[in-house]
Amino acid sequence: MRLAFILGEIGSGLRRNLSMVVSVVLVTFVSLTFVGAAGMLQMQINQMKGYWYDKVQVAIFLCNDTSAATGCASGKVTKEQQDNLAKMLDSPTVKQYITDYQFESQADAFKHFKEQFSNSPIVDSVTQDQLPSSFRINMKDPQKYQIISETFSSQPGVETVSDQRQVLERIFEWMNGASVAAMVIAGVMIFCAVLLITTTIRLSAFSRRRETGIMRLVGASKTVIQLPFILEGVIAAVVGAVLASGTLWLVAQFWLNGDLSRQFLNTPFISSTQVLVIAPVLIALGGGLAGISSLLTLRRYLKV
């Protein structure tokens, strides 16, 4: 009977303040969508950094069968040329500038390529022979990249020497800035949502002040009186969080892994499954904020 009473009070409160409840749902939806978007940006940054940022600081790409560079006129790099490049990297002249290096074969490059671009249509159109083998070098001082470039660019079997750190840093700085901007907007919208929830609970408590007074007179507990009001705000916020989660999933499924992945074939995008990890966080955040703000409002405006 107590559960039926609480559910009845919740339904009554939602009907009486329907316009305010809809406002809470919409504002929570927008604010948590921005929170989720910031989370998606961070996941995308980590997806890109996971392999490329740490390993492609300086790369010596070797000639393969499809190389069109001038230095690859004699064809694919030979084992002798590859060994010669490794000896140069281990020589005191070069070693003083690098921390370490790794050799990545065409098979390794193809394996990493499939892992990073598993959500992109390009993965089905690239073969192992098209990807070059390479030496991946970690520099002690990235500013001295030019020394490596001048030393190896003209060596037999070398297609090109590439330093992608600066390019990647600019991209990640821009994405981090966008993530921070999304979080700032989300913070403002969450504040608006809290104000709306507070107002909704105040109106609901005011409209039911007679019923609340009767409940106090008949000895109803504080929890039984306050719980319907709290759950009204929590339900509205959770609905907004579910809508935000669904919107983010649709964006990942049909935009990131759809149109965007077809336009930017060389970029590994996060999958819609990864985005679902954000949903429980958004629901917990929305419900938690609504519950806390409702409880604080009731303590001030509903004397039990």
Side-chain angles (χ1 to χ4, degrees), residues 14 41 51 70 109 146 153 181 185 199 209-210 253:
L14 293 175
L41 272 174
Y51 177 72
T70 305
Q146 198 62 35
S153 293
I185 296 173
T199 304
R209 60 190 184 281
R210 180 177 299 177
Q253 179 70 17

Side-chain angles (χ1 to χ4, degrees), residues 2-65:
R2 183 173 297 178
L3 177 61
F5 170 77
I6 292 174
L7 293 176
E9 287 295 299
I10 292 172
S12 175
L14 293 175
R15 286 193 300 272
R16 290 183 182 182
N17 301 291
L18 184 60
S19 60
M20 292 296 291
V21 170
V22 171
S23 299
V24 171
V25 170
L26 293 177
V27 174
T28 305
F29 160 63
V30 174
S31 60
L32 293 182
T33 297
F34 276 105
V35 173
M40 286 176 63
L41 272 174
Q42 287 303 315
M43 291 173 69
Q44 181 64 47
I45 292 171
N46 291 336
Q47 175 92 349
M48 296 171 67
K49 287 174 67 174
Y51 177 72
W52 295 111
Y53 186 74
D54 294 329
K55 292 190 176 182
V56 196
Q57 294 163 358
V58 176
I60 302 175
F61 291 104
L62 308 183
C63 301
N64 60 10
D65 293 327

Side-chain angles (χ1 to χ4, degrees), residues 132-150:
S133 55
S134 61
F135 287 99
R136 307 285 178 162
I137 305 171
N138 294 315
M139 300 288 295
K140 291 181 178 178
D141 183 359
Q143 303 297 326
K144 295 182 178 180
Y145 148 76
Q146 198 62 35
I147 296 175
I148 302 298
S149 178
E150 292 175 355

Side-chain angles (χ1 to χ4, degrees), residues 10-288:
I10 292 172
S12 175
L14 293 175
R15 286 193 300 272
R16 290 183 182 182
N17 301 291
L18 184 60
S19 60
M20 292 296 291
V21 170
V22 171
S23 299
V24 171
V25 170
L26 293 177
V27 174
T28 305
F29 160 63
V30 174
S31 60
L32 293 182
T33 297
F34 276 105
V35 173
M40 286 176 63
L41 272 174
Q42 287 303 315
M43 291 173 69
Q44 181 64 47
I45 292 171
N46 291 336
Q47 175 92 349
M48 296 171 67
K49 287 174 67 174
Y51 177 72
W52 295 111
Y53 186 74
D54 294 329
K55 292 190 176 182
V56 196
Q57 294 163 358
V58 176
I60 302 175
F61 291 104
L62 308 183
C63 301
N64 60 10
D65 293 327
T66 60
S67 298
T70 305
C72 298
S74 59
K76 184 178 179 180
V77 62
T78 64
K79 184 68 169 62
E80 182 182 353
Q81 291 171 339
Q82 181 179 309
D83 291 341
N84 181 58
L85 294 171
K87 289 179 182 179
M88 291 179 64
L89 287 169
D90 289 325
S91 67
T93 305
V94 175
K95 200 167 185 178
Q96 61 180 313
Y97 299 108
I98 68 176
T99 304
D100 54 37
Y101 70 90
Q102 304 84 33
F103 176 73
E104 183 180 78
S105 65
Q106 287 182 297
D108 293 334
F110 187 60
K111 178 183 176 182
H112 293 146
F113 178 84
K114 289 195 297 183
E115 291 174 352
Q116 294 299 310
F117 294 91
S118 58
N119 300 315
S120 175
I122 195 176
V123 73
D124 297 323
S125 59
V126 175
T127 63
Q128 179 174 310
D129 293 338
Q130 293 176 298
L131 299 177
S133 55
S134 61
F135 287 99
R136 307 285 178 162
I137 305 171
N138 294 315
M139 300 288 295
K140 291 181 178 178
D141 183 359
Q143 303 297 326
K144 295 182 178 180
Y145 148 76
Q146 198 62 35
I147 296 175
I148 302 298
S149 178
E150 292 175 355
T151 303
F152 289 92
S153 293
S154 59
Q155 292 297 318
V158 174
E159 180 178 7
T160 184
V161 180
S162 174
D163 176 26
Q164 297 182 350
R165 174 189 287 271
Q166 295 179 353
V167 176
L168 291 174
E169 282 183 345
R170 286 196 295 269
I171 294 174
F172 295 142
E173 285 174 3
W174 181 87
M175 294 180 72
N176 278 320
S179 179
V180 171
M183 286 301 296
V184 170
I185 296 173
V188 174
M189 297 303 296
I190 287 175
F191 178 71
C192 294
V194 169
L195 291 180
L196 265 177
I197 292 170
T198 301
T199 304
T200 301
I201 298 304
R202 287 177 59 186
L203 288 174
S204 184
F206 180 78
S207 65
R208 282 184 279 173
R209 60 190 184 281
R210 180 177 299 177
E211 292 93 327
T212 303
I214 295 173
M215 291 170 65
R216 285 201 299 265
L217 291 175
V218 299
S221 67
K222 183 177 181 180
T223 300
V224 172
I225 295 175
Q226 291 185 343
L227 192 57
F229 297 102
I230 295 174
L231 291 180
E232 287 174 24
V234 171
I235 289 172
V238 167
V239 171
V242 170
L243 292 175
S245 301
T247 300
L248 294 172
W249 183 87
L250 290 173
V251 168
Q253 179 70 17
F254 297 105
W255 188 55
L256 289 181
N257 302 148
D259 293 339
L260 210 60
S261 63
R262 286 190 291 269
Q263 293 178 26
F264 300 94
L265 298 178
N266 294 323
T267 303
F269 291 103
I270 58 176
S271 66
S272 54
T273 304
Q274 290 175 280
V275 174
L276 289 178
V277 176
I278 301 176
V281 178
L282 297 182
I283 293 172
L285 179 61

